[in-house]
Amino acid sequence: MNGEIRPISSLLIALLGPIIWAAHFFGVYLVEAVLCPAREPVSIGLVGLALSALALAALTLHSARCHLSDPAGGARDPLRFTLPLTLLSMTAVVWTSLPLLVLPACTPGGSG
Amino acid sequence: MHESHQASSSLRDPSRREEERRQLEAIWALPKGWRIVSAVNNTVIGYFYIGAAVLFFLLAGVLALLMRSQLALPGNTLLSPHTYNQVFTMHGTVMMFLFAVPAVEAMGILLLPQMLGARDLPFPRLGAFAFWAYFVGGLIFFGTLFFDLAPSGGWFMYPPLTSSHYSPDIGADFWLLGIGFIEISAIAGAIEIIVGVLRTRAPGMSLDKMPMFAWTMLTFAVMIVFAFPAVILATIMLELERTFGWPFFIAAKGGDALLWQHLFWFFGHPEVYIIFLPAAGMVSMIVPTMARAPLEAHMLIVLAIIATGFFSFGLWVHHMFTTGIPALSLSFFSAASMAVAIPSGIQVFAWIATIAAGKLRLDTPALFVLGFLFIFTLGGLTGVMVAMVPFDWQAHDTYFVVAHLHYVLIGGMVFPLFAAFYYWAPAFSSRALSERLGRWAFWLMFIGFNVAFLPMHVLGLQGMPRRVYTYPAELGWQTLNFVSTAGAFMLAAGVLVFIADLVCNLRPSLVSPAGNVWNSGTLEWLQNGLYGLRSIPHVETRYPLWQEQHLARDVEAARFYLPNAPTGTREAIVTSPIEAEPQYLLRLPGPGWPPALAALFTAAFFMLLTVKMIAMALGCGILAIAFILVWAWGSDPMPTDKVNIGAGLRLPTYVSGPRSHAWWAVVILLFVAGSLYLSFAFSYLYLWTVAPAAWAEAAKGGVPDGTFAFAAMGLLAVSSASMYAAEGQLRRSRAGFGLMVVLALLTLTGALVLELVGHWRSDLRPDASGYAALVYLASVLQFQIVAAVVVVGCYVLVRLAAGRLNSERRVTFDTLMLLSHYANAQGALGVLLVHGFPRAVA
């Protein structure tokens, strides 16, 4: 029982990928929700993309750490899915960010 | 393979084994006759839970048939418009809240201990409380239909339709208080499941060896913890608006009806996955058995389950595509809606690969699984269609959406559940269900379902709106509607065949079930007694019955852990969350009345509030708390020396702090409270974006008074410091400890009183505006947590006086300390938000 894995930090590290995705997702949503009433449409795209770059950098760093600290994919990762979960989160961040490149901010939806 | 974890055979002589077995039977014996109501065993509560969920499924199904009968012909007058509104509201509400979530929770409570090799879940009385609260509350709620008191605003109860102006009768109040209360019981069940899965797995069953159903139930329960508080907050807000005129959702007073939609769907969309994931877990258990091959891509499926859990929280706005939210924001949610198809796809392909790798036996459970794959995939495809914003604008609020949601929910949850009934019946009944009747049930349900719901896609594309009680013949919708009604009755016939099968063949038995008729590989198929397994094995593989030779024989020969009851009470082994290393022996309570009575009075409290019988409601509320305290009194037993649990292992019988299962439960409860408060913070910021003028006004007028805020912050700091000091005093002086706890409680309460006095003296009134209502709502939420801390604090002082609390026996104090620090943190956040934010944005 000595040298026991610390459960909460292990779970948090394993789930860091989707946690970053969630933070990014709510971040870009909040940016538009808060800045549109302030009539700042240009900065919304920039702030949103900056958040995306930050999230992708954090995810890249996390996946590199996972890979370097545990190249065999298992021994130090008791849940054995941290790396693929981080890569999936990366895909989701890229996917969520694409509208920032192609759509203008603050245009009402539903108007056809 | 298991030698190091087994007792030597000399200790296992037959007479000793028989004596131990009799001891276990006596300790785990069930109450006789009608006293079975006081039982808390997971198996009994599981049976009750599933029975109740099936009952509500049948009742809501009858409502569906009434609706389909009404719509079978144009201009039909079978149901009046008002009754039709009540019927569709109750159908959706009962199916979602009283059938779907409780049914999967029930399967978890029934199956998880057996599957994880535990004797019971860690909080049996909490499980019993959750069930009785749900059952009593659910029956009263359904009964409103017979008195013309049922809600009629649709299962998602959008204001302003459900405001007191447009829905003045008490139907909406029954929904708000009844469903809010039933959600609380679901949260109680979720806490039980999380701690059960993480802390009571058989030794050696590390997370990577845990059965897939347990993974999905864990994710399900965590999602409940984060999703349900949003709708609980929404129900509190709408009820406060309806009863006291606090205008959260009234645009003319700075509120916004869309806030309800945000809060409701922040719960409502994860709810779909909350229902689907456990069903997918059942499929992941059934497919390997039926295909006779281990599940392909096991860890990828775990990844998919976790990813689905996360992504499902980024989908809520896809129910609001037509509300005028900016197009860019819609695109984020549209993207997330499509991204969630990736993890769902991983699971579907893994099941197909498993079927391809093995040799599928086409028995009834496999048929229902194949039906699920077909129907759910179609529902998923139409889901991708409505995730496209332009398509959704066309299809929104039409029968296309009705068809889509039924393909997802019936395909994704009902078919797997029926597969599970047929699959697991032999583990809990002395007879398996009939294969012949099962096939009839499947084909009637499968064909009936598609005949009922496929035409609805076309009706939706033709423009038929949902929730209309009739339609004129000239629109040309009658043929498809008639076909759809015929399909609905066919589906109902399939369900009736299933019920007939249950009546003819289900013979619940805990001690002599039909057994492992499918030759499955997981632990729930081992021979169980009232006490669960004869001995708790050390698990080394994912499919122990397939991969660990002689395991069944050795378990039955009592060669593993806990072949007896070393403390003379009900027990469970608590293991570490990830590696499942044995940590301590948990002493569990036996049968008792307090959980059922506490649930009864809790239900009475909420229902009497609805009909405005305030004094009686308060009386019932006090009785409910009293019974909860009575049940808590026997918890936190006296620490003893380490005991021998067999196989050469000695464990402590008492642990406090982060290793304790109780600590985990309280921390999860605090996540619920935190989630509720974050939903409030979201609401506060949301209304600021809608009506910023009120905030600017507040900053100019100095409202609320900042002096009181500083004083309140000071009191909160003193409260927290006192609680720290109390912990130190616990080892030194009983009087000093008591004094510090009293000081912590008084200062915490004082901070709340100061806040309220400050608001009131500033002439701020909660019915004046959405802003003012939110300011007072912060205090309402703080009152809830302060009341809990005060009750627990007084209870701790009584235990101290009774000599049931000291530096070693301190789990009750740990609970108080966690609650108290959280309450201080929440109070401080509230003060910063209410006083700091308006000034900051000014």
Side-chain angles (χ1 to χ4, degrees):
Chain A
M1 262 183 265
N2 290 333
E4 180 186 317
I5 292 163
R6 297 177 63 168
I8 294 175
S9 55
S10 293
L11 287 171
L12 279 179
I13 288 171
L15 298 178
L16 196 57
I19 289 172
I20 293 172
W21 168 82
H24 169 261
F25 185 85
F26 289 104
V28 289
Y29 169 66
L30 271 183
V31 164
E32 192 178 35
V34 171
L35 292 185
C36 278
R39 301 179 201 287
E40 296 282 350
V42 182
S43 55
I44 289 170
L46 289 175
V47 176
L49 286 173
L51 280 178
S52 302
L54 199 66
L56 286 173
L59 287 166
T60 309
L61 195 69
H62 183 52
S63 46
R65 260 190 92 227
C66 291
H67 183 66
L68 291 176
S69 67
D70 191 17
R76 295 182 60 183
D77 176 6
L79 300 176
R80 294 178 181 83
F81 53 63
T82 308
L83 187 60
L85 197 54
T86 310
L87 295 177
L88 183 61
S89 306
M90 234 178 212
T91 313
V93 167
V94 171
W95 190 237
T96 308
S97 306
L98 286 178
L100 286 164
L101 298 172
V102 292
L103 283 178
C106 306
T107 314
S111 60
Chain B
M1 196 180 223
H2 300 105
E3 278 168 19
S4 61
H5 305 291
Q6 291 177 10
S8 68
S9 54
S10 61
L11 290 175
R12 307 279 96 226
D13 65 85
S15 61
R16 170 90 180 269
R17 279 198 336 230
E18 185 52 28
E19 191 187 315
E20 288 173 345
R21 191 182 58 76
R22 277 204 297 269
Q23 182 199 18
L24 284 172
E25 275 175 357
I27 287 171
W28 289 86
L30 296 174
K32 300 273 184 265
W34 62 274
R35 288 190 176 79
I36 193 76
V37 172
S38 66
V40 296
N41 304 42
N42 77 291
T43 37
V44 177
I45 296 299
Y47 282 143
F48 285 171
Y49 232 132
I50 291 176
V54 170
L55 172 70
F56 285 119
F57 174 67
L58 296 177
L59 291 173
V62 170
L63 299 182
L65 291 181
L66 280 174
M67 281 189 285
R68 284 314 321 165
S69 302
Q70 166 67 19
L71 293 174
L73 300 169
N76 201 354
T77 54
L78 177 68
L79 299 177
S80 69
H82 174 65
T83 307
Y84 188 85
N85 289 348
Q86 289 185 326
V87 168
F88 76 65
T89 300
M90 290 298 279
H91 168 73
T93 305
V94 173
M95 280 295 189
M96 294 302 276
F97 295 104
L98 299 181
F99 162 62
V101 174
V104 288
E105 204 154 24
M107 291 299 280
I109 285 178
L110 181 66
L111 287 171
L112 282 173
Q114 269 77 349
M115 203 177 267
L116 301 175
R119 291 220 185 283
D120 205 326
L121 287 166
F123 304 102
R125 291 181 294 194
L126 188 64
F129 173 81
F131 165 70
W132 288 111
Y134 145 71
F135 184 56
V136 175
L139 281 182
I140 296 172
F141 180 68
F142 194 86
T144 57
L145 254 181
F146 304 110
F147 299 94
D148 197 27
L149 293 174
S152 55
W155 84 274
F156 36 72
M157 293 291 286
Y158 282 173
L161 176 63
T162 51
S163 65
S164 53
H165 184 71
Y166 296 104
S167 300
D169 48 36
I170 61 171
D173 302 304
F174 267 114
W175 194 99
L176 294 167
L177 289 168
I179 293 304
F181 155 66
I182 287 163
E183 306 269 279
I184 292 169
S185 99
I187 289 173
I191 293 174
E192 166 94 317
I193 286 170
I194 294 172
V195 181
V197 170
L198 287 177
R199 303 303 307 278
T200 59
R201 301 196 304 277
M205 188 190 275
S206 51
L207 282 182
D208 59 315
K209 298 188 198 96
M210 186 165 84
M212 200 55 77
F213 179 66
W215 268 112
T216 55
M217 287 308 296
L218 178 62
T219 313
F220 153 92
V222 172
M223 289 174 72
I224 283 182
V225 163
F226 289 102
F228 278 32
V231 77
I232 290 175
L233 180 77
T235 57
I236 291 172
M237 291 163 79
L238 188 51
E239 192 54 36
L240 285 172
E241 181 182 298
R242 288 176 56 85
T243 309
F244 301 112
W246 296 19
F248 298 107
F249 307 111
I250 299 174
K253 289 187 166 186
D256 188 1
L258 275 189
L259 174 58
W260 170 274
Q261 296 196 25
H262 278 289
L263 291 172
F264 185 88
W265 290 116
F266 187 79
F267 140 83
H269 201 86
E271 163 91 340
V272 175
Y273 292 91
I274 282 171
I275 294 166
F276 165 67
L277 282 178
M282 295 171 202
V283 171
S284 291
M285 301 300 288
I286 297 169
V287 164
T289 302
M290 290 297 156
R292 287 168 271 183
L295 191 62
E296 294 289 327
H298 183 96
M299 288 318 282
L300 265 184
I301 295 187
V302 174
L303 175 150
I305 291 166
I306 293 171
T308 305
F310 271 90
F311 291 171
S312 68
F313 281 90
L315 309 184
W316 84 90
V317 167
H318 88 200
H319 297 267
M320 302 167 62
F321 280 166
T322 58
T323 57
I325 290 172
L328 183 59
S329 293
L330 295 186
S331 303
F332 300 144
F333 290 92
S334 180
S337 305
M338 287 181 253
V340 83
I342 298 174
S344 301
I346 290 175
Q347 293 187 74
V348 172
F349 284 113
W351 294 322
I352 293 171
T354 308
I355 292 170
K359 192 169 176 349
L360 189 69
R361 49 189 285 184
L362 269 178
D363 291 317
T364 305
L367 285 177
F368 274 105
V369 166
L370 292 178
F372 147 75
L373 279 173
F374 179 83
I375 295 171
F376 180 71
T377 305
L378 283 181
L381 288 175
T382 54
V384 175
M385 290 167 76
V386 289
M388 310 284 180
V389 177
F391 182 85
D392 186 76
W393 287 340
Q394 302 303 316
H396 189 80
D397 262 349
T398 70
Y399 259 81
F400 188 90
V401 174
V402 178
H404 159 68
L405 74 93
H406 282 89
Y407 266 78
V408 170
L409 294 174
I410 296 186
M413 188 269 172
V414 176
F415 272 72
L417 189 68
F418 273 70
F421 286 153
Y422 275 93
Y423 178 72
W424 274 297
F428 296 94
S429 158
S430 55
R431 270 196 237 164
L433 295 180
S434 158
E435 191 57 30
R436 194 167 61 89
L437 289 176
R439 285 170 185 275
W440 270 99
F442 168 74
W443 286 111
L444 282 169
M445 287 177 68
F446 182 74
I447 297 170
F449 171 82
N450 284 292
V451 172
F453 291 98
L454 201 64
M456 288 186 192
H457 292 100
V458 183
L459 280 168
L461 294 176
Q462 287 178 348
M464 181 168 168
R466 63 194 293 195
R467 295 177 171 171
V468 287
Y469 84 103
T470 192
Y471 51 89
E474 312 71 87
L475 289 172
W477 298 337
Q478 61 267 39
T479 307
L480 288 175
N481 267 303
F482 190 82
V483 169
S484 181
T485 301
F489 277 91
M490 198 173 174
L491 173 59
V495 176
L496 272 184
V497 172
F498 165 72
I499 297 296
D501 199 356
L502 288 186
V503 172
C504 295
N505 293 307
L506 190 76
R507 299 288 177 271
S509 171
L510 298 174
V511 288
S512 55
N516 194 357
V517 298
W518 313 111
N519 189 25
S520 177
T522 40
L523 292 183
E524 76 274 20
W525 293 99
L526 285 172
Q527 175 69 41
N528 275 278
L530 286 171
Y531 41 80
L533 297 176
R534 181 65 185 81
S535 63
I536 311 295
H538 192 278
V539 175
E540 299 182 6
T541 57
R542 283 183 190 147
Y543 298 93
L545 303 194
W546 285 348
Q547 295 165 329
E548 297 176 44
Q549 226 187 350
H550 308 311
L551 184 113
R553 187 196 66 191
D554 292 342
V555 165
E556 199 48 31
R559 294 207 173 102
F560 288 107
Y561 304 116
L562 219 54
N564 49 11
T567 65
T569 56
R570 297 183 178 197
E571 296 149 339
I573 303 173
V574 176
T575 49
S576 63
I578 293 180
E579 294 295 325
E581 292 170 344
Q583 290 188 324
Y584 68 99
L585 191 66
L586 166 63
R587 286 168 281 174
L588 293 169
W593 290 98
L597 289 174
L600 185 69
F601 286 114
T602 312
F605 168 73
F606 280 96
M607 294 307 164
L608 289 169
L609 269 190
T610 312
V611 291
K612 311 284 186 277
M613 297 171 78
I614 307 294
M616 274 181 76
L618 286 178
C620 288
I622 290 168
L623 280 172
I625 292 172
F627 278 110
I628 289 171
L629 292 177
V630 167
W631 119 34
W633 189 252
S635 309
D636 198 13
M638 181 94 81
T640 65
D641 292 335
K642 281 187 174 181
V643 292
N644 184 352
I645 67 157
L649 188 63
R650 291 178 67 78
L651 288 182
T653 60
Y654 192 92
V655 164
S656 59
R659 272 196 167 197
S660 148
H661 68 294
W663 187 90
W664 280 67
V666 177
V667 168
I668 296 164
L669 181 65
L670 295 183
F671 273 109
V672 174
S675 188
L676 186 78
Y677 207 75
L678 284 180
S679 299
F680 158 72
F682 169 85
S683 306
Y684 184 90
L685 297 175
Y686 178 82
L687 280 195
W688 166 67
T689 65
V690 172
W695 271 257
E697 196 89 349
K700 265 191 267 163
V703 181
D705 193 324
T707 322
F708 285 88
F710 280 115
M713 282 295 242
L715 285 180
L716 291 172
V718 173
S719 176
S720 238
S722 306
M723 200 48 82
Y724 274 117
E727 191 184 9
Q729 290 293 323
L730 190 56
R731 281 185 290 276
R732 291 185 215 111
S733 149
R734 280 161 54 97
F737 170 80
L739 199 65
M740 285 299 118
V741 168
V742 170
L743 184 61
L745 298 183
L746 285 177
T747 44
L748 179 66
T749 313
L752 174 62
V753 172
L754 267 185
E755 268 289 90
L756 280 169
V757 171
H759 300 338
W760 200 258
R761 282 170 58 103
S762 310
D763 290 332
L764 195 68
R765 296 294 177 268
D767 55 355
S769 68
Y771 163 75
L774 280 168
V775 168
Y776 277 91
L777 183 60
S779 296
V780 169
L781 298 180
Q782 186 64 9
F783 169 77
Q784 287 180 348
I785 192 80
V786 169
V789 172
V790 169
V791 170
V792 177
C794 294
Y795 174 71
V796 160
L797 292 174
V798 173
R799 284 187 77 90
L800 181 76
R804 286 172 169 254
L805 179 77
N806 53 46
S807 59
E808 200 185 347
R809 189 184 183 183
R810 54 170 287 172
V811 166
T812 319
F813 172 68
D814 287 346
T815 302
L816 172 66
M817 197 168 57
L818 286 168
L819 277 176
S820 163
H821 287 317
Y822 171 81
N824 285 311
Q826 179 180 295
L829 179 64
V831 171
L832 285 176
L833 198 63
V834 168
H835 297 272
F837 185 77
R839 291 171 173 87
V841 294

